[in-house]
Amino acid sequence: MAMDDELLSRQMPHSLEAEQAVLGSMLIDADCIKDVMEKLRPDDFYLRQNREVFETIQTMFLYSRPIDALTVVGEMEKNGTYDDAATRAYLAQLMEVTPTSANVMEYAGLVLDKSLLRAVATAAGEITRLVQEGEGGAPAVLESAEQKIYAIRRGRSAQDMERIGPVLQGVLDHLAELSASGGAMQPGLPTGFSAIDDKTSGFGDSDLVILAARPGMGKSSLALNIALNVAKSSRKAVAVFSLEMSKEQLVTRVLSSEAAVENRRLLSGNLREADWVRIANATGVLSPLDIRFDDNPLLTVADMNAKCRRIDNLGLIVVDYLQLMTSAGGSGSGRTESRQQAVSDMSRMLKIMAKELNVPVLCLSQLSRANEKRGDDSKRPQLSDLRDSGAIEQDADIVMFIYREDYYKEESEQRNIAECIIAKNRHGETGKVRLTWSPDFTTFSTYEGRYEDEDE
């Protein structure tokens, strides 16, 4: 062992015996390899020689090659990690010190535990350096510290690059799962609106989805409908950040939708006996759901990110709405140019949050008045109508607009019929679909009438 390795061995947590037992188990029993691969990765092994052996076995496993001491030696000769003086003898030693693979997952758990402790020690050193060097103020250091610890909790480094092999295997596994369902499974998170899901294939992990409309079109209602549908169907947690409405107002809308009791009657308390029965039934459905509300109007993206990191089994984040958010500096006002830059920064940070947490973020956005200045037949929103910043369009994976003709024309024959216009979709086609709007219950539903989709 080199001198620097000996020095590090006295400082950093590791278990040489556990690492050798894991590798020995994989060499004598190929059936346990798939279980170990789900738990460990090469960086979890402290000793370089052990990392090289594990990485070789991992590559062979991904390509379905037979794995034993002889084949591993051959692979290490190919990839340049074979040492004539030590490798073959070391592999034999690994098998000798491991009489059985029965306890391999206990050994793997110990290897992972030591790896996490080393990661914590490394992060602590980096945080201490940030404090000592005085880079940024306390909020910036706290944010950096929290990101480092969160990356460890997720079991991966936010700065590590990954080889194509493991990523490719994950893609192939996902394709196999989709194929096994006969194409019936949505690759993304279903919204509960079949017409929207047919266009978007659901919301993908790490997607930033922008839902934009003029005030009064129902964008908050549609977002709440999607949040409720996701919580019901996926049984995952949904985080709703509302910078405009209170928690009570939001929950009242959700209750109105689920109980089919007019929102105005819930607000006034003018309820019938039958309404109370519906409310009781709806409460029984809603109470077990993991939908979390935050109505702090001064939240920043960093605040939201920190809160969401602490939510287990998170499935969707809803932000209502972008233009009301506070920038990292805490200023929500200023000259037009600075406000546009602030919105651009927040849009980018929302996309980064979606990628970091690996969940879709549904962010509501206001539209400018540009569409209202156009002629009667061209008021449907366009991407250029997004308010404050063109960066919103660039950052978003999906951009959806809500348009109701009866919003502009009282005599319209399209009463309570809404169009969901999918103007940008990185994963598929664009176009528009119809939804039915029920204002009494602040609810959208899939349009059941005959409608020929016309792509714009």
Side-chain angles (χ1 to χ4, degrees), residues 411-430:
E411 71 280 5
S412 172
E413 296 180 359
Q414 306 297 320
R415 199 70 184 163
N416 292 333
I417 302 298
E419 291 180 5
C420 179
I421 302 169
I422 301 166
K424 178 183 179 180
N425 181 12
R426 280 202 174 113
H427 311 304
E429 61 180 319
T430 58

Side-chain angles (χ1 to χ4, degrees), residues 235-285:
R235 292 294 162 178
K236 292 185 176 182
V238 177
V240 180
F241 297 96
S242 176
L243 292 83
E244 187 173 38
M245 290 188 288
S246 68
K247 295 189 290 284
E248 291 76 16
Q249 288 174 313
L250 294 169
V251 173
T252 299
R253 285 197 175 194
V254 172
L255 183 60
S256 172
S257 173
E258 183 63 28
V261 175
E262 289 92 333
N263 192 59
R264 58 180 173 79
R265 294 224 306 271
L266 289 175
L267 293 174
S268 67
N270 182 23
L271 300 169
R272 311 182 188 100
E273 185 175 343
D275 295 333
W276 282 109
V277 174
R278 293 193 186 98
I279 290 170
N281 292 336
T283 300
V285 173

Side-chain angles (χ1 to χ4, degrees), residues 9 20 54 149 152 374 412 429 437:
S9 71
Q20 291 180 330
F54 182 86
I149 298 300
I152 295 171
R374 296 194 288 266
S412 172
E429 61 180 319
W437 167 238

Side-chain angles (χ1 to χ4, degrees), residues 19-20 22-24 26-27 37 42 45 47-60 67-69 72-73 75-76 79 81-82 86-88 90-91 94:
E19 291 184 11
Q20 291 180 330
V22 168
L23 296 175
M26 297 167 76
L27 290 171
M37 291 298 172
F45 288 81
L47 193 66
R48 180 182 58 80
Q49 192 172 14
N50 290 341
R51 281 199 305 274
E52 292 173 350
V53 173
F54 182 86
E55 195 165 21
T56 300
I57 295 175
Q58 181 185 58
T59 301
M60 297 174 69
I67 297 171
D68 56 37
V72 170
V73 166
E75 188 67 24
M76 294 182 75
N79 63 29
T81 57
Y82 179 79
T87 300
R88 192 178 297 271
Y90 186 64
L91 294 181
L94 292 176

Side-chain angles (χ1 to χ4, degrees), residues 67-137:
I67 297 171
D68 56 37
L70 289 177
T71 57
V72 170
V73 166
E75 188 67 24
M76 294 182 75
E77 288 177 338
K78 292 179 184 177
N79 63 29
T81 57
Y82 179 79
D83 184 339
D84 288 334
T87 300
R88 192 178 297 271
Y90 186 64
L91 294 181
Q93 177 189 341
L94 292 176
M95 292 187 290
E96 287 176 6
V97 300
T98 313
T100 174
S101 64
N103 300 320
V104 63
M105 296 313 293
E106 292 185 22
Y107 304 141
L110 184 56
V111 171
L112 179 59
D113 184 71
K114 299 299 184 183
S115 174
L116 291 174
L117 288 175
R118 292 196 302 274
V120 170
T122 300
E126 293 173 354
I127 294 167
T128 300
R129 179 185 59 78
L130 287 175
V131 173
Q132 291 174 340
E133 293 180 357
E135 296 179 1

Side-chain angles (χ1 to χ4, degrees), residues 441-453:
F441 310 112
T442 60
T443 300
F444 286 91
S445 57
T446 299
Y447 181 70
E448 300 296 341
R450 185 178 183 277
Y451 176 64
E452 294 182 1
D453 180 18

Side-chain angles (χ1 to χ4, degrees), residues 145-166:
E146 193 163 38
Q147 286 181 349
K148 293 179 186 299
I149 298 300
Y150 179 71
I152 295 171
R153 289 178 65 87
R154 289 183 66 199
R156 66 182 69 179
S157 168
Q159 298 178 352
D160 280 353
M161 299 184 73
E162 194 162 0
R163 293 177 181 271
I164 189 174

